Amino acid sequence: MKAVSIDDRVAREAQDVDPDVAFLPELLHVHKTWARTFNCRPEYYFQPRTLEEIQKIVKIARRLKRRIVVVGCGHSPSDITCTSSWMMNLDNYQRVLNVDLEKKILTVEGGIRLRQLNDEAAKYNLTMPNLGSINDQSIAGAIATATHGSSLKHGLMSESIKAIKIVLGDGSAVRCSAQDNVELFRAALVSIGGLGILVEVDFQLDDHSNIEWSQTLKPLDWVLSDWEKDLWTKREFTRVWWLPYMKRAVVWSASKTSTPERAAVASWYGGSVGFHTYHILLWLSNYVPRILPAIEWFVFGMQYGFKNDIVTSAIEPQRSGLLMNCLYSQFVNEWALPLSSGPEAITRLSNWLNREPGHNIPFDNSGLYVHAPIEVRVTDSTAMQPKPYLDNTNRNGPTLYLNATLYRPFFQDPPCHERYYEAFEWLMKDLGAKPHWAKNFHTVTQSDIADMYGEDLSSYLRVRNDTDPDGVFVGAWHRRYILPASQPAFACEEHEVARMHAANGGKDWFGDLSGVPASRMQDGLYGDTGVTPIEDEEREPLLDGRTRDGTAAAGVTGVRVFDKM
């Protein structure tokens, strides 16, 4: 690989802007989403340790017309974290800054992972009040994408945020809360990476507690009949995993308890044999999709039992008991809709998947088989004030989240992928739902998002444009989904120019570098001769020279390209 050093212009800016503050970019970094759905190679990769370093990076990026993307664990399977410009990871910016035991508030730096936040909270006999399925995300990333758990007693994770400090597009650090800079606070609570860098968070905690959870296999009819009774309210936390071909569901619920911990019995796919057996069966189903109903019966029978009403339970600390294993690489397509629409949504989707009448979904289902389970979770953010502008929950009552996960066994896309999601998203739109910001939605347009959010989107964009007028934090994802066609390009905005199949089963993503001087385009660091796929650890790079639609890419300029020796 040809030796690469920091661009002279960047080096000059680093000396000119706050020269006593460190500026330590890493070159040749390759970013991969957790699911290996997308790969990208940023021009520079930063892991700052201080607020001053973060501010310096932003100031220089603005001067050089570079976009900045902030990433944590990369758990979103979409291209929202992809860039060929500058990437920042805050794993070295994760300290606890203050502990207020009276108010049960920890002030933490934005890069702290949720598991670390809970570990720190445990030292003071405190815990996060709610969690999603995993705790690998940074607190900044979890806030930015409207992360939620499954409980009608809790709303979005943003509900626990009392104040935020955010670095804006000019490098200034501004504090906001429900009392101060309220509009900025409402935009920052669900920022989708387009507003600034969340560097400090005041997080409200609860007293530490164990939870006792139980799970049981129930007929789908039982779930639907209990929907309006106490299915979601009997215990503090409840989630359902729906098995569409068996017409059954695993009902998991939990409540706080003072009882000592009690370990769960070993799970089948929690062990090596079950884990790998399931993975291999999913891989086989890519070639013979009709075996998926049998796989569903076998795998979930081994895991939860073959008969209804078999109960397993355990008592764990809340910080671990709410988590679940995501298992394998996956596409995740999750939407939020009114809880009251749940029975209709599940019944119609069940009828479509099982080729039964009454679904009114105008898409072909012949020969289509999908993975299980479909995750069903709930939240209630109606009492949250002030509301985030881009809060996707139901404003007039409790919210249901339907999550149509599709596994990618050994990083191979399932054959039902496009057709299933096209039909699923059509149904969600028909029922007035909104997509989860961090997930894989395929048929959504900027016009759809504008209709879904109305004046709230306009308010978010007004704040965004006022605080980042040069578009330091704007990329192709934002242009595709939230920026109106009438919005002129920003000086630092990054545009996607190509994506190609990668050897790891995902896509190599390439964006432009709007601030690269023309004189630098021919020196081997940047190129105008085509697009080179990103090198993976297991292979040599191949020169494909095709864009996403298969046309020649010879005229593409401003793309990050590295020459082989």
Side-chain angles (χ1 to χ4, degrees), residues 291-318:
I291 67 173
L292 276 169
I295 292 174
E296 181 181 296
W297 172 84
F298 171 73
V299 168
F300 291 93
M302 293 294 292
Q303 177 71 8
Y304 300 108
F306 289 94
K307 295 181 179 180
N308 294 332
D309 300 320
I310 296 175
V311 178
T312 57
S313 65
I315 299 175
E316 299 182 59
Q318 181 170 308

Side-chain angles (χ1 to χ4, degrees), residues 22-190:
F23 181 82
L24 302 171
E26 176 185 334
L27 288 78
L28 309 184
H29 176 82
V30 176
H31 168 71
K32 300 178 177 69
T33 60
W34 173 84
R36 298 298 191 266
T37 44
F38 285 96
N39 317 292
C40 68
R41 176 176 282 151
E43 179 186 10
Y44 295 138
Y45 179 77
F46 299 89
Q47 288 190 305
R49 296 180 178 274
T50 68
L51 174 60
E52 291 75 19
E53 287 182 46
I54 293 170
Q55 291 176 292
K56 178 171 181 173
I57 294 165
V58 173
K59 291 174 184 177
I60 295 174
R62 186 187 185 197
R63 287 191 181 195
L64 297 177
K65 298 184 176 64
R66 298 296 201 274
R67 177 199 180 198
I68 295 177
V69 176
V70 182
V71 299
C73 67
H75 202 266
S76 170
S78 79
D79 63 332
I80 192 172
T81 58
C82 287
T83 186
S84 291
S85 195
W86 291 9
M87 180 173 286
M88 184 184 297
N89 171 272
L90 298 179
D91 281 354
N92 292 330
Y93 193 76
Q94 55 183 12
R95 296 175 301 163
V96 175
L97 302 175
N98 186 62
V99 179
D100 187 331
L101 291 179
E102 182 179 354
K103 296 181 179 179
K104 302 176 186 176
I105 293 175
L106 259 63
T107 301
V108 297
E109 292 178 331
I112 196 168
R113 302 294 180 98
L114 301 186
R115 63 175 180 274
Q116 295 168 319
L117 175 56
N118 253 330
D119 288 344
E120 292 293 331
K123 297 176 183 178
Y124 306 99
N125 203 35
L126 298 171
T127 193
M128 295 178 67
N130 197 15
L131 280 170
S133 298
I134 64 168
N135 61 358
D136 293 322
Q137 309 103 311
S138 67
I139 186 66
I143 296 168
T145 53
T147 295
H148 63 92
S150 190
S151 170
L152 291 186
K153 294 188 177 181
H154 302 280
L156 299 177
M157 191 171 293
S158 298
E159 186 178 58
S160 297
I161 307 302
K162 297 304 176 185
I164 287 172
K165 182 181 286 185
I166 184 169
V167 173
L168 303 175
D170 62 357
S172 62
V174 178
R175 188 171 173 86
C176 56
S177 67
Q179 293 75 40
D180 299 307
N181 293 322
V182 178
E183 287 195 337
L184 179 61
F185 189 57
R186 293 183 68 184
L189 284 175
V190 181

Side-chain angles (χ1 to χ4, degrees), residues 78 111 203 250 260 287 298 355 367 399 418 469 537 552:
S78 79
F203 197 90
V250 179
Y287 301 94
F298 171 73
R355 298 164 183 75
T399 298
E418 298 292 343
E537 294 89 346

